[in-house]
Amino acid sequence: MLSVLFAAILLLSGCFSGQGNTSPKPSSNGKGGDSASAGPKILHLNNNEEPGSLHPGTAQGTHDSWILEGLFEGLTKKTPEGKIVPGMAESWETSKDGLTWTFHLKDGMKWSNGDPVTAGDFEYAWKYVLNPKTASEYAYQLYYLKGGEAYNSAKKNADLKALEDKVGVKATDDKTLVVTLEQETPYFLDLTSFYTYYPVDKKVQEENPKWALEASTYVSNGAFKLADWKHKESMKLVKNENYYDKDKIKLDEVDFVQIANENTAWQMYKSGELDMVYPLPQDVQGQLMASKNPEFHNGPDLSTYYYNLNNKVKPFDNVKIRKALAMAINRKVIVENVAQGGQKPAYSIVPPGIPDVNGDYQENGGDLFKEDVTEAKKLLKEGLAEEGMSKMPEFTILYNTDEGHKKIAEAIQEMWRKNLGVNVKAQNVEFQVKIDREHAGDYQISRAGWVGDYVDPMTFMDLWVSNGSYNDAKWSNKDYDALIKKAKTSMDPATRMTAMHDAEKILMDEMPIIPIYFYTKPYALKSYVSGFFTPINRYPQYIYADINKK
């Protein structure tokens, strides 16, 4: 999702008063959080952050993708069970060698403005992402296309048009898209449901490159269309009457407010101003889970909470110091006493839920490091001596504004102070500011989260290749790069999985990032709302939701 990036957001602390008010509170327009069954059905949600971009080609975080998933649809989409099914494409076939995919679009597909959705819109959108002038952080997700990386990595004076023409995506007519891959990619069909692979209306993009910045010019092809956008306040999505599957869409409107404070969002949920709240305050989810409240839902999440260590900044360029910090954290205390959402302590980076050749990839890999305060002290002393330092300098943990991230940072601060005698500060900034600073290398340690973009270990493992778009740790290892390349180019499942397991061992031995825990997906949903589903690598999905108040 991810990217991104995740950006994955963790759950906060707050007060739970027992039996909250589950009766919806009417809004100022009289429609209310539950929307009486006789009137328009309006779902009220909270997105936490202002989207960084609502253009599929430049979006990069869950604060973008949760909105985009309601507004757009790719060649394929996912069912509540996680099965990949036709979206804009009616059917597809592949060549025997797995390198050529031919997609056939459904008849009568339309954009929200009435323009026809064509195969050319997909070709245009994918090449837009790869165009180096676009500077898309997610361009690497299209490197699977033949010539994709060469185009995106073009030198300053290169013939961009010639390189673009060699990219392996071609609309042979309005309904046929032929895709040629660099090598067989087992999860390519999964990728076609990911938001970077969404189409854009070529006509609209060429006439107004800023179309995605305001609701008045916004054009999409999904179940909903963007009707209103009050920046940093709210967004209104309304049912798209041009959507081919509109009869299955029960909601008339989805209203998002942007409230960063999860305690405030929880209070809005209790008063009926929100119909669903995710993420939850940490103390609240602990209480809801313990009391078995019927409005509480939880499930697996293909995502990992971790800390970036800036490997270009001293003393975090020293592997012994990095490992000392990782080994001095008590993850059991964090998941049980701080996060309180059933999370699992992480001693590797790839989360559970991804199939291996046999069994689960994470379970097969097992724990790749351990907590050991005595060894951590020893490594810290040795690392500082190698750096010519007598003690660890004061440093700062950067996190995006969120009470949950704050509490985790405070817990880790105290563990490092108590176990290693080091002083740590914490600094909160807006989510997009954090992302920008990480990409620029303007930090020492930062909290991060990554939601898998597709269900394969590679969605995590390729994050830390040298010069990778999301290698915010600024780490480089030639052996790691070689193993990831081997896994990407091998046709044999056992060979590619073994290569990724070996690469993950290098990653954890070098410790450029510190895994903290594997996420779960706890949220609260009003009893009168049905139809939500939670793919393992997506936020809870509202597209097929319904509201029925009796």
Side-chain angles (χ1 to χ4, degrees):
M1 172 205 267
L2 101 138
S3 187
V4 247
L5 209 95
F6 185 77
I9 304 171
L10 176 72
L11 319 160
L12 303 179
S13 74
C15 300
F16 177 63
S17 58
Q19 296 298 320
N21 175 16
T22 59
S23 299
K25 178 180 177 181
S27 62
S28 59
N29 64 8
K31 295 178 180 178
D34 65 326
S35 301
S37 58
K41 295 185 176 183
I42 304 174
L43 183 72
H44 291 79
L45 304 174
N46 177 35
N47 193 41
N48 291 74
E49 298 275 351
E50 169 80 358
S53 172
L54 283 186
H55 191 302
T58 53
Q60 59 175 316
T62 49
H63 60 315
D64 305 334
S65 64
W66 204 28
I67 307 291
L68 285 172
E69 286 159 0
L71 294 171
F72 280 85
E73 185 170 288
L75 293 167
T76 62
K77 59 184 179 181
K78 289 188 176 181
T79 67
E81 298 75 28
K83 182 180 178 182
I84 300 170
V85 297
M88 290 285 109
E90 180 177 55
S91 62
W92 52 84
E93 61 264 2
T94 61
S95 59
K96 288 184 179 180
D97 61 8
L99 296 180
T100 302
W101 292 70
T102 304
F103 294 90
H104 305 281
L105 269 61
K106 294 171 179 171
D107 291 330
M109 298 298 94
K110 292 183 179 181
W111 291 97
S112 57
N113 66 353
D115 289 346
V117 177
T118 68
D121 291 329
F122 281 91
E123 177 185 352
Y124 180 83
W126 295 6
K127 288 180 176 179
Y128 174 85
V129 174
L130 287 168
N131 189 328
K133 294 180 180 179
T134 302
S136 171
E137 294 289 348
Y138 255 127
Y140 76 95
Q141 290 290 25
L142 287 158
Y143 285 4
Y144 301 101
L145 305 186
K146 186 175 180 63
E149 184 173 7
Y151 179 36
N152 185 246
S153 305
K155 302 298 182 182
K156 185 176 181 180
N157 297 321
D159 186 343
L160 290 183
K161 184 63 171 66
L163 290 170
E164 178 186 325
D165 290 343
K166 293 179 181 179
V167 174
V169 55
K170 180 67 176 177
T172 57
D173 57 48
D174 284 348
K175 289 184 57 183
T176 308
L177 187 72
V178 179
V179 182
T180 306
L181 306 181
E182 286 281 7
Q183 60 268 330
E184 186 177 4
T185 304
Y187 44 86
F188 180 69
L189 196 61
D190 196 331
L191 278 168
T192 61
S193 69
F194 184 62
Y195 59 84
T196 310
Y197 281 75
Y198 289 161
V200 296
D201 189 327
K202 178 181 178 181
K203 178 183 174 183
V204 169
Q205 176 73 37
E206 290 184 335
E207 290 180 354
N208 178 18
K210 297 182 179 181
W211 64 271
L213 298 179
E214 302 294 341
S216 60
T217 53
Y218 203 86
V219 178
S220 59
N221 71 323
F224 297 92
K225 59 185 179 180
L226 186 60
D228 186 60
W229 186 358
K230 293 181 175 63
H231 291 280
K232 296 192 175 183
E233 291 182 14
S234 64
M235 306 182 78
K236 179 187 293 185
L237 281 59
V238 299
K239 185 174 180 178
N240 180 9
E241 292 300 325
N242 285 330
Y243 183 56
Y244 71 95
D245 219 10
K246 65 180 179 181
D247 291 344
K248 293 183 180 178
I249 307 304
K250 307 302 181 184
L251 297 174
D252 297 293
E253 187 176 310
V254 182
D255 288 358
F256 287 90
V257 291
Q258 292 168 25
I259 305 294
N261 189 307
E262 288 161 355
N263 290 302
T264 301
W266 170 242
Q267 294 302 321
M268 292 175 68
Y269 175 83
K270 290 207 299 177
S271 69
E273 295 173 85
L274 293 177
D275 299 311
M276 177 265 193
V277 62
Y278 176 74
L280 286 162
Q282 290 171 340
D283 291 351
V284 169
Q285 69 188 16
Q287 291 280 355
L288 292 173
M289 190 161 52
S291 66
K292 298 182 180 180
N293 188 301
E295 293 186 0
F296 177 76
H297 303 262
N298 202 357
D301 198 3
L302 196 69
S303 55
T304 304
Y305 192 101
Y306 62 95
Y307 272 13
N308 284 307
L309 302 173
N310 191 336
N311 286 230
K312 296 295 185 182
V313 174
K314 287 186 175 296
F316 306 109
D317 59 343
N318 188 289
V319 64
K320 290 181 178 179
I321 291 174
R322 298 196 300 264
K323 292 176 78 170
L325 293 172
M327 297 172 73
I329 297 172
N330 188 325
R331 290 158 180 80
K332 187 173 185 289
V333 167
I334 289 174
V335 299
E336 291 184 358
N337 299 339
V338 184
Q340 301 184 63
Q343 296 87 351
K344 179 181 177 182
Y347 302 98
S348 58
I349 197 64
V350 179
I354 300 177
D356 205 332
V357 176
N358 292 296
D360 182 271
Y361 177 92
Q362 190 274 329
E363 291 179 4
N364 288 346
D367 294 346
L368 300 181
F369 68 97
K370 63 180 180 178
E371 295 167 6
D372 187 330
V373 174
T374 300
E375 180 66 13
K377 289 178 178 178
K378 175 176 175 291
L379 288 172
L380 181 63
K381 183 177 180 180
E382 292 175 357
L384 289 172
E386 291 172 1
E387 296 296 314
M389 298 178 176
S390 59
K391 67 176 183 177
M392 188 74 173
E394 186 176 80
F395 56 92
T396 300
I397 299 171
L398 181 71
Y399 66 92
N400 51 293
T401 304
D402 177 299
E403 191 66 23
H405 299 325
K406 178 183 178 182
K407 286 183 174 294
I408 287 175
E410 289 173 344
I412 291 176
Q413 276 180 298
E414 178 58 20
M415 291 172 187
W416 283 341
R417 185 198 65 77
K418 179 180 178 181
N419 295 333
L420 299 177
V422 300
N423 294 319
V424 189
K425 296 188 295 184
Q427 179 185 11
N428 69 296
V429 295
E430 290 184 0
F431 194 21
Q432 194 61 44
V433 173
K434 183 191 81 77
I435 290 174
D436 293 342
R437 285 184 58 179
E438 286 170 329
H439 290 345
D442 180 22
Y443 77 97
Q444 293 169 303
I445 294 182
S446 70
R447 66 74 39 188
W450 190 261
V451 181
D453 297 328
Y454 47 91
V455 186
D456 187 274
M458 189 58 74
T459 189
F460 291 88
M461 297 308 299
D462 67 359
L463 294 176
W464 293 285
V465 295
S466 299
N467 301 316
S469 297
Y470 286 92
N471 184 358
D472 295 326
K474 315 302 178 186
W475 174 73
S476 180
N477 183 287
K478 291 182 179 179
D479 292 336
Y480 183 89
D481 291 347
L483 286 166
I484 297 305
K485 183 177 181 179
K486 182 178 181 180
K488 283 190 171 183
T489 56
S490 174
M491 303 299 134
D492 178 59
T495 299
R496 62 185 304 272
M497 289 297 177
T498 297
M500 285 189 283
H501 279 299
D502 290 345
E504 191 173 13
K505 290 175 185 175
I506 292 174
L507 186 71
M508 292 295 90
D509 188 53
E510 289 284 315
M511 204 63 73
I513 47 93
I514 300 177
I516 308 297
Y517 61 75
F518 300 127
Y519 278 95
T520 53
K521 199 176 292 173
Y523 64 96
L525 180 69
K526 296 294 187 181
S527 59
Y528 50 77
V529 180
S530 61
F532 261 78
F533 65 99
T534 54
I536 192 171
N537 62 333
R538 297 284 191 274
Y539 262 37
Q541 299 290 292
Y542 53 85
I543 295 172
Y544 297 112
D546 196 4
I547 295 175
N548 290 291
K549 183 173 183 289
K550 298 179 181 179

